[in-house]
Amino acid sequence: MRINQVGIVGAGALGLLLGERLVKTLGPEGVQFIADESRCRRYEQTGFQVNGQALRIPCVSAPRGKYLDLILFAVKSYDLPSALELIRPFVGPETILMSLLNGISSEEIIGEALGAEKVLYTVGQGMDATRVGQTLNYTVPGFWRLGEADGTESERLQAVVALYDQAGIAFEVCPDIRYQLWSKLMLNTGVNQTLAVLGGSYRVIHENQNDSRRIMRQAMEEVRKLAALEGVTIPEAEIDVWFRIVDSLGPDQQPSMLQDVEAGRQTEVELFAGTIRRLGARHGVATPINDWFYEEILKKSPPHSEGFGSRGLTD
């Protein structure tokens, strides 16, 4: 199995971050954004800038011929249902589907819609990419963890490994990918929401402004305790690992949730605090920090649909 044709749905920070590397490797004939016609026209007219360099990737609203080998979901959680319908014509029997979304639910939702056998798990960490308008800037590209749900090294996993190697995308193959998803959820629940509520760049965490490090740690502890009740044991030392990673990020960069708050957009609070609140209710565990995050972030952003965040967590 070899990956020659890649589709990316979503041209946010992560879509552009990977698109930049992939188009340099596969060329414009091997990478395409997938979007509706009006969005494609806008992408084609304006293009993008990544760290001051022009980036142009073709955009299509209908297949250009054969099915794609790999499709990356780089949308926000609330756009996932429409993204699933948009990419259906591009999905063939051998297409690999990978979600770059935060949280622990998107892979299940994609699998239910398009086939669980097509879904390969991935989670990114350590990047500080910030998109403003059509411009993306980053100082740390981060790296990706890849894995099958059952921990095996399949042919399709090896195909993605070969592509990432060729493109110079840093990665690690993880047989415990479910653990990695929970660990990343723990980070996002802590740092993204702390800064969304307190405001400011990563410098706020670096300098412990407004007691931010204590708040972030308490939020992450709530996730860690619930993960154990869901069968995933995360050692306390993992929190300190994430603090070291956050401390290495560009001090003037901001997480995407704060960018969404400042732009008046919907946020992914349902994926983070919403998920933890629902799991807390299921297990009878109090989640006071995430309750506070949830209420404060909803005050700052438009109303949210609970459909995505509640999938698989309310049974």
Side-chain angles (χ1 to χ4, degrees):
M1 181 180 291
R2 181 179 174 84
I3 296 173
N4 297 306
Q5 294 287 323
V6 177
I8 304 172
V9 55
L14 295 182
L16 292 174
L17 192 66
L18 287 178
E20 177 199 26
R21 298 294 182 93
L22 292 172
V23 77
K24 288 178 179 178
T25 301
L26 299 176
E29 68 281 357
V31 182
Q32 56 201 270
F33 284 121
I34 302 171
D36 58 42
E37 291 184 4
S38 62
R39 195 176 298 260
C40 277
R41 284 195 296 270
R42 188 164 72 251
Y43 288 176
E44 296 285 359
Q45 290 169 358
T46 62
F48 298 95
Q49 292 277 330
V50 177
N51 282 350
Q53 300 295 316
L55 174 68
R56 289 197 173 271
I57 295 176
C59 184
V60 298
S61 55
R64 298 190 294 189
K66 61 182 182 178
Y67 296 127
L68 297 178
D69 302 316
L70 171 66
I71 296 177
L72 302 174
F73 288 84
V75 296
K76 293 292 187 179
S77 59
Y78 41 78
D79 288 327
L80 182 58
S82 58
L84 287 168
E85 295 307 311
L86 186 66
I87 62 97
R88 280 184 187 276
F90 298 83
V91 179
E94 303 300 321
T95 301
I96 303 167
L97 305 174
M98 291 172 59
S99 170
L100 311 184
L101 279 70
N102 291 311
I104 55 174
S105 303
S106 63
E107 289 83 3
E108 178 184 353
I109 294 170
I110 294 168
E112 288 177 357
L114 299 171
E117 75 284 355
K118 302 181 187 301
V119 179
L120 186 67
Y121 284 67
T122 186
V123 58
Q125 72 177 62
M127 56 280 295
D128 63 357
T130 300
R131 180 188 161 183
V132 179
Q134 303 303 100
T135 299
L136 177 77
N137 288 296
Y138 66 88
T139 57
V140 183
F143 72 98
W144 298 86
R145 299 184 189 274
L146 308 169
E148 291 281 9
D150 60 5
T152 60
E153 289 204 22
S154 62
E155 183 180 1
R156 63 188 187 152
L157 175 57
Q158 293 171 9
V160 174
V161 164
L163 174 64
Y164 278 28
D165 258 336
Q166 185 182 6
I169 298 170
F171 69 91
E172 177 185 3
V173 174
C174 296
D176 58 346
I177 194 65
R178 187 163 175 255
Y179 172 96
Q180 302 301 335
L181 287 172
W182 267 97
S183 182
K184 179 66 180 301
L185 173 63
M186 184 174 71
L187 168 71
N188 286 332
T189 298
V191 68
N192 285 24
Q193 297 186 133
T194 296
L195 291 178
V197 170
L198 298 182
S201 66
Y202 290 114
R203 189 183 305 278
V204 170
I205 303 294
H206 298 173
E207 298 177 356
N208 195 28
Q209 298 174 25
N210 299 317
D211 211 12
S212 59
R213 295 178 83 87
R214 177 188 61 81
I215 295 169
M216 176 177 162
R217 182 176 292 273
Q218 289 179 337
M220 295 170 78
E221 279 288 356
E222 291 180 0
V223 179
R224 193 175 75 86
K225 290 176 182 177
L226 287 167
L229 294 173
E230 290 287 306
V232 177
T233 301
I234 303 175
E236 186 176 358
E238 184 84 347
I239 293 179
D240 295 318
V241 171
W242 280 120
F243 265 101
R244 288 195 293 272
I245 291 173
V246 170
D247 288 342
S248 73
L249 300 177
D252 296 321
Q253 301 289 348
Q254 297 178 336
S256 60
M257 179 175 275
L258 178 57
Q259 296 172 46
D260 290 338
V261 166
E262 291 182 342
R265 297 187 293 260
Q266 286 190 9
T267 71
E268 293 187 310
V269 69
E270 288 293 344
L271 280 184
F272 303 152
T275 294
I276 300 311
R277 283 160 52 90
R278 286 184 288 273
L279 287 172
R282 175 195 288 180
H283 293 288
V285 174
T287 57
I289 297 297
N290 277 283
D291 291 345
W292 178 60
F293 281 160
Y294 190 82
E295 294 167 2
E296 291 300 313
I297 292 169
L298 285 184
K299 291 177 185 177
K300 297 170 179 282
S301 58
H304 292 71
S305 167
E306 296 189 3
F308 177 87
S310 62
R311 287 288 293 273
L313 296 174
T314 57
D315 297 342

mmCIF file of all heavy atoms in Angstrom, residues 161-184:
data_model
loop_
_atom_site.group_PDB
_atom_site.id
_atom_site.type_symbol
_atom_site.label_atom_id
_atom_site.label_comp_id
_atom_site.label_asym_id
_atom_site.label_seq_id
_atom_site.Cartn_x
_atom_site.Cartn_y
_atom_site.Cartn_z
ATOM 1 N N VAL A 161 3.188 5.771 7.902
ATOM 2 C CA VAL A 161 4.548 5.944 8.417
ATOM 3 C C VAL A 161 5.509 6.297 7.282
ATOM 4 O O VAL A 161 6.329 7.215 7.396
ATOM 5 C CB VAL A 161 5.015 4.675 9.146
ATOM 6 C CG1 VAL A 161 6.536 4.675 9.352
ATOM 7 C CG2 VAL A 161 4.315 4.547 10.496
ATOM 8 N N ALA A 162 5.389 5.592 6.158
ATOM 9 C CA ALA A 162 6.262 5.860 5.009
ATOM 10 C C ALA A 162 6.035 7.272 4.475
ATOM 11 O O ALA A 162 6.988 7.983 4.128
ATOM 12 C CB ALA A 162 6.022 4.826 3.915
ATOM 13 N N LEU A 163 4.767 7.693 4.408
ATOM 14 C CA LEU A 163 4.455 9.037 3.915
ATOM 15 C C LEU A 163 5.010 10.104 4.854
ATOM 16 O O LEU A 163 5.636 11.076 4.405
ATOM 17 C CB LEU A 163 2.938 9.193 3.790
ATOM 18 C CG LEU A 163 2.445 10.604 3.411
ATOM 19 C CD1 LEU A 163 2.925 10.990 2.027
ATOM 20 C CD2 LEU A 163 0.921 10.679 3.507
ATOM 21 N N TYR A 164 4.816 9.944 6.134
ATOM 22 C CA TYR A 164 5.299 10.925 7.104
ATOM 23 C C TYR A 164 6.825 10.982 7.111
ATOM 24 O O TYR A 164 7.417 12.057 7.246
ATOM 25 C CB TYR A 164 4.762 10.613 8.496
ATOM 26 C CG TYR A 164 3.357 11.117 8.752
ATOM 27 C CD1 TYR A 164 2.446 11.276 7.706
ATOM 28 C CD2 TYR A 164 2.928 11.432 10.035
ATOM 29 C CE1 TYR A 164 1.168 11.736 7.934
ATOM 30 C CE2 TYR A 164 1.632 11.895 10.275
ATOM 31 C CZ TYR A 164 0.760 12.049 9.217
ATOM 32 O OH TYR A 164 -0.505 12.517 9.448
ATOM 33 N N ASP A 165 7.451 9.830 6.972
ATOM 34 C CA ASP A 165 8.916 9.793 6.856
ATOM 35 C C ASP A 165 9.377 10.622 5.664
ATOM 36 O O ASP A 165 10.285 11.445 5.758
ATOM 37 C CB ASP A 165 9.406 8.348 6.701
ATOM 38 C CG ASP A 165 9.979 7.777 7.987
ATOM 39 O OD1 ASP A 165 10.412 8.560 8.851
ATOM 40 O OD2 ASP A 165 9.989 6.547 8.120
ATOM 41 N N GLN A 166 8.745 10.378 4.531
ATOM 42 C CA GLN A 166 9.110 11.069 3.300
ATOM 43 C C GLN A 166 8.876 12.575 3.415
ATOM 44 O O GLN A 166 9.667 13.382 2.899
ATOM 45 C CB GLN A 166 8.288 10.501 2.137
ATOM 46 C CG GLN A 166 8.670 11.048 0.768
ATOM 47 C CD GLN A 166 7.788 10.480 -0.340
ATOM 48 O OE1 GLN A 166 6.818 9.761 -0.075
ATOM 49 N NE2 GLN A 166 8.115 10.793 -1.581
ATOM 50 N N ALA A 167 7.805 12.962 4.112
ATOM 51 C CA ALA A 167 7.443 14.379 4.226
ATOM 52 C C ALA A 167 8.178 15.087 5.355
ATOM 53 O O ALA A 167 8.027 16.304 5.502
ATOM 54 C CB ALA A 167 5.936 14.502 4.423
ATOM 55 N N GLY A 168 8.927 14.370 6.147
ATOM 56 C CA GLY A 168 9.623 14.992 7.270
ATOM 57 C C GLY A 168 8.695 15.401 8.397
ATOM 58 O O GLY A 168 8.980 16.351 9.139
ATOM 59 N N ILE A 169 7.578 14.689 8.538
ATOM 60 C CA ILE A 169 6.627 14.945 9.622
ATOM 61 C C ILE A 169 7.018 14.059 10.806
ATOM 62 O O ILE A 169 7.066 12.835 10.675
ATOM 63 C CB ILE A 169 5.185 14.645 9.179
ATOM 64 C CG1 ILE A 169 4.789 15.560 8.021
ATOM 65 C CG2 ILE A 169 4.214 14.796 10.346
ATOM 66 C CD1 ILE A 169 3.472 15.184 7.356
ATOM 67 N N ALA A 170 7.318 14.664 11.940
ATOM 68 C CA ALA A 170 7.753 13.902 13.111
ATOM 69 C C ALA A 170 6.590 13.080 13.660
ATOM 70 O O ALA A 170 5.471 13.577 13.785
ATOM 71 C CB ALA A 170 8.295 14.841 14.177
ATOM 72 N N PHE A 171 6.865 11.819 14.001
ATOM 73 C CA PHE A 171 5.804 10.942 14.483
ATOM 74 C C PHE A 171 6.387 9.839 15.351
ATOM 75 O O PHE A 171 7.602 9.612 15.390
ATOM 76 C CB PHE A 171 5.039 10.322 13.312
ATOM 77 C CG PHE A 171 5.853 9.324 12.530
ATOM 78 C CD1 PHE A 171 5.842 7.972 12.871
ATOM 79 C CD2 PHE A 171 6.650 9.733 11.472
ATOM 80 C CE1 PHE A 171 6.607 7.058 12.165
ATOM 81 C CE2 PHE A 171 7.424 8.825 10.763
ATOM 82 C CZ PHE A 171 7.400 7.493 11.109
ATOM 83 N N GLU A 172 5.485 9.132 16.015
ATOM 84 C CA GLU A 172 5.827 7.963 16.807
ATOM 85 C C GLU A 172 4.679 6.970 16.683
ATOM 86 O O GLU A 172 3.510 7.357 16.798
ATOM 87 C CB GLU A 172 6.041 8.343 18.272
ATOM 88 C CG GLU A 172 6.323 7.170 19.191
ATOM 89 C CD GLU A 172 6.403 7.576 20.654
ATOM 90 O OE1 GLU A 172 6.176 8.770 20.952
ATOM 91 O OE2 GLU A 172 6.675 6.697 21.486
ATOM 92 N N VAL A 173 4.973 5.712 16.436
ATOM 93 C CA VAL A 173 3.950 4.671 16.393
ATOM 94 C C VAL A 173 3.681 4.203 17.820
ATOM 95 O O VAL A 173 4.612 3.858 18.551
ATOM 96 C CB VAL A 173 4.386 3.490 15.511
ATOM 97 C CG1 VAL A 173 3.375 2.349 15.599
ATOM 98 C CG2 VAL A 173 4.548 3.945 14.062
ATOM 99 N N CYS A 174 2.413 4.199 18.217
ATOM 100 C CA CYS A 174 2.046 3.894 19.598
ATOM 101 C C CYS A 174 1.027 2.749 19.649
ATOM 102 O O CYS A 174 -0.089 2.897 19.141
ATOM 103 C CB CYS A 174 1.438 5.109 20.272
ATOM 104 S SG CYS A 174 2.555 6.498 20.438
ATOM 105 N N PRO A 175 1.384 1.630 20.255
ATOM 106 C CA PRO A 175 0.410 0.553 20.432
ATOM 107 C C PRO A 175 -0.671 0.899 21.457
ATOM 108 O O PRO A 175 -1.717 0.256 21.491
ATOM 109 C CB PRO A 175 1.271 -0.632 20.904
ATOM 110 C CG PRO A 175 2.473 -0.008 21.524
ATOM 111 C CD PRO A 175 2.721 1.254 20.754
ATOM 112 N N ASP A 176 -0.415 1.924 22.271
ATOM 113 C CA ASP A 176 -1.380 2.335 23.303
ATOM 114 C C ASP A 176 -2.041 3.652 22.906
ATOM 115 O O ASP A 176 -2.106 4.592 23.694
ATOM 116 C CB ASP A 176 -0.679 2.476 24.654
ATOM 117 C CG ASP A 176 0.470 3.492 24.624
ATOM 118 O OD1 ASP A 176 0.891 3.875 23.513
ATOM 119 O OD2 ASP A 176 0.930 3.894 25.705
ATOM 120 N N ILE A 177 -2.562 3.718 21.712
ATOM 121 C CA ILE A 177 -3.047 4.987 21.183
ATOM 122 C C ILE A 177 -4.243 5.521 21.980
ATOM 123 O O ILE A 177 -4.424 6.735 22.089
ATOM 124 C CB ILE A 177 -3.406 4.851 19.683
ATOM 125 C CG1 ILE A 177 -3.585 6.230 19.027
ATOM 126 C CG2 ILE A 177 -4.618 3.961 19.483
ATOM 127 C CD1 ILE A 177 -2.344 7.064 18.977
ATOM 128 N N ARG A 178 -5.047 4.652 22.579
ATOM 129 C CA ARG A 178 -6.170 5.141 23.391
ATOM 130 C C ARG A 178 -5.649 5.917 24.606
ATOM 131 O O ARG A 178 -6.213 6.945 24.978
ATOM 132 C CB ARG A 178 -7.049 3.974 23.832
ATOM 133 C CG ARG A 178 -8.329 4.408 24.544
ATOM 134 C CD ARG A 178 -9.354 3.298 24.598
ATOM 135 N NE ARG A 178 -10.517 3.691 25.384
ATOM 136 C CZ ARG A 178 -10.779 3.264 26.602
ATOM 137 N NH1 ARG A 178 -9.952 2.403 27.196
ATOM 138 N NH2 ARG A 178 -11.855 3.668 27.248
ATOM 139 N N TYR A 179 -4.594 5.438 25.204
ATOM 140 C CA TYR A 179 -3.958 6.164 26.301
ATOM 141 C C TYR A 179 -3.516 7.545 25.823
ATOM 142 O O TYR A 179 -3.694 8.548 26.516
ATOM 143 C CB TYR A 179 -2.757 5.360 26.804
ATOM 144 C CG TYR A 179 -1.888 6.085 27.806
ATOM 145 C CD1 TYR A 179 -2.062 5.902 29.168
ATOM 146 C CD2 TYR A 179 -0.869 6.951 27.393
ATOM 147 C CE1 TYR A 179 -1.266 6.555 30.102
ATOM 148 C CE2 TYR A 179 -0.072 7.619 28.304
ATOM 149 C CZ TYR A 179 -0.272 7.414 29.657
ATOM 150 O OH TYR A 179 0.523 8.079 30.557
ATOM 151 N N GLN A 180 -2.939 7.606 24.622
ATOM 152 C CA GLN A 180 -2.440 8.873 24.099
ATOM 153 C C GLN A 180 -3.583 9.854 23.878
ATOM 154 O O GLN A 180 -3.426 11.063 24.118
ATOM 155 C CB GLN A 180 -1.671 8.628 22.792
ATOM 156 C CG GLN A 180 -0.502 7.660 22.917
ATOM 157 C CD GLN A 180 0.540 8.118 23.913
ATOM 158 O OE1 GLN A 180 0.671 9.322 24.178
ATOM 159 N NE2 GLN A 180 1.294 7.187 24.468
ATOM 160 N N LEU A 181 -4.726 9.369 23.410
ATOM 161 C CA LEU A 181 -5.877 10.249 23.203
ATOM 162 C C LEU A 181 -6.351 10.835 24.533
ATOM 163 O O LEU A 181 -6.653 12.039 24.628
ATOM 164 C CB LEU A 181 -7.020 9.482 22.540
ATOM 165 C CG LEU A 181 -6.844 9.128 21.059
ATOM 166 C CD1 LEU A 181 -7.968 8.194 20.614
ATOM 167 C CD2 LEU A 181 -6.812 10.370 20.194
ATOM 168 N N TRP A 182 -6.406 10.017 25.560
ATOM 169 C CA TRP A 182 -6.826 10.493 26.876
ATOM 170 C C TRP A 182 -5.812 11.486 27.446
ATOM 171 O O TRP A 182 -6.182 12.495 28.053
ATOM 172 C CB TRP A 182 -7.010 9.318 27.830
ATOM 173 C CG TRP A 182 -8.408 8.799 27.860
ATOM 174 C CD1 TRP A 182 -8.914 7.728 27.173
ATOM 175 C CD2 TRP A 182 -9.502 9.325 28.609
ATOM 176 N NE1 TRP A 182 -10.234 7.552 27.449
ATOM 177 C CE2 TRP A 182 -10.629 8.514 28.336
ATOM 178 C CE3 TRP A 182 -9.628 10.388 29.495
ATOM 179 C CZ2 TRP A 182 -11.872 8.754 28.913
ATOM 180 C CZ3 TRP A 182 -10.867 10.626 30.082
ATOM 181 C CH2 TRP A 182 -11.974 9.815 29.787
ATOM 182 N N SER A 183 -4.549 11.189 27.255
ATOM 183 C CA SER A 183 -3.513 12.083 27.771
ATOM 184 C C SER A 183 -3.596 13.448 27.106
ATOM 185 O O SER A 183 -3.474 14.492 27.765
ATOM 186 C CB SER A 183 -2.127 11.462 27.556
ATOM 187 O OG SER A 183 -1.115 12.288 28.077
ATOM 188 N N LYS A 184 -3.816 13.463 25.788
ATOM 189 C CA LYS A 184 -3.953 14.739 25.080
ATOM 190 C C LYS A 184 -5.222 15.474 25.522
ATOM 191 O O LYS A 184 -5.224 16.707 25.663
ATOM 192 C CB LYS A 184 -3.983 14.490 23.562
ATOM 193 C CG LYS A 184 -4.145 15.752 22.707
ATOM 194 C CD LYS A 184 -2.962 16.678 22.819
ATOM 195 C CE LYS A 184 -3.133 17.939 21.964
ATOM 196 N NZ LYS A 184 -3.317 17.656 20.527
#
